[in-house]
Amino acid sequence: MIERLAVLLVALAAMLWATDALFRAPLLRHLGGTPLLQATQLVTMEHIVLTIACLPIIWAAWREIRGLRAAQWRAIVAIGVGA
């Protein structure tokens, strides 16, 4: 079950990433000489939204997450840092 859900979540993330350009350019556009949002503000808000969106998934899979081995945690950290 979790494998199918993982594939769907990756597809959803790819679709959301594709819409990024639609929102980022207008938010960073200069209005009257000052940007509507600074780049760091926008990235921080994106991370907050993604964290909130992932919390129900983490909650549902908490039992599996607790059972991860050290090698699996290293892979998660490598993916997170590499991204």
Side-chain angles (χ1 to χ4, degrees), residues 12-23:
L12 177 63
M15 287 187 291
L16 287 173
W17 185 40
T19 64
D20 183 53
L22 296 173
F23 299 108

Side-chain angles (χ1 to χ4, degrees), residues 9-74:
L9 291 174
V10 169
L12 177 63
M15 287 187 291
L16 287 173
W17 185 40
T19 64
D20 183 53
L22 296 173
F23 299 108
R24 185 173 293 209
L27 288 172
L28 292 177
R29 185 172 295 130
H30 291 267
L31 299 174
T34 60
L36 185 60
L37 288 174
Q38 298 293 326
T40 54
Q41 291 172 315
L42 183 60
V43 170
T44 300
M45 290 184 345
E46 287 175 347
H47 282 83
I48 290 170
V49 168
L50 289 172
T51 300
I52 291 169
C54 289
L55 284 177
I57 298 163
I58 293 170
W59 181 266
W62 187 248
R63 191 172 274 175
E64 288 184 49
I65 292 170
R66 285 187 0 200
L68 293 177
R69 295 184 308 270
Q72 293 168 316
W73 279 112
R74 285 192 297 274

